[in-house]
């Protein structure tokens, strides 16, 4: 299992909307995450900076990378683009974090 940490950037004032959309996560999106090996997915918000911190465990990095090109994932990116910083393809601006400690 690979543990992944990352950060993304929410537009100011969009915390409530971000949370609302994730509480109503589309069933097909949830299925895709699991199908491509994603587990124990959490996202945390630093309200002072609007930085989102994500944690995800994946079975295989290469398999997980393929999830970006699924139709449902692209649709989700488009859906979320108005409330967070995105790249030209509407993927979220995402910075991988380096793990510096783990206690299992």
């Amino acid at each position: 299992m690979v543990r992944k940490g990352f950060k993304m950037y929410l537009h100011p004032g969009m915390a409530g909307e971000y949370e609302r959309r994730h509480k109503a996560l589309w069933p097909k999106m949830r299925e895709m995450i699991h199908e491509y090996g994603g587990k124990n997915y959490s996202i945390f918000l630093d309200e002072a900076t609007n930085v989102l911190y994500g944690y995800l465990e994946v079975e295989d990095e290469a398999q997980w990378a393929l999830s970006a090109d699924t139709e449902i994932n692209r649709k989700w990116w488009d859906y979320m683009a108005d409330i967070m910083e995105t790249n030209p393809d509407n993927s979220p601006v995402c910075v991988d974090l380096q793990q510096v400690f783990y206690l299992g």
Side-chain angles (χ1 to χ4, degrees), residues 23-63:
K23 282 183 177 179
L25 186 67
W26 305 332
K28 287 185 180 184
M29 187 63 176
R30 183 183 315 270
E31 291 168 12
M32 183 280 295
I33 291 168
H34 291 146
E35 180 182 338
Y36 283 82
K39 297 177 173 59
N40 294 321
Y41 197 165
S42 298
I43 301 172
F44 302 88
L45 172 65
D46 178 349
E47 292 181 14
T49 64
N50 289 312
V51 175
L52 298 160
Y53 294 92
Y55 173 82
L56 171 69
E57 295 172 355
V58 299
E59 295 172 6
D60 177 87
E61 290 267 20
Q63 180 186 14

Side-chain angles (χ1 to χ4, degrees), residues 74 77-82 84-94:
R74 296 287 177 166
W77 286 351
D78 292 345
Y79 177 57
M80 299 300 291
D82 64 323
M84 58 192 310
E85 288 186 31
T86 60
N87 296 301
D89 66 353
N90 279 346
S91 64
V93 171
C94 186

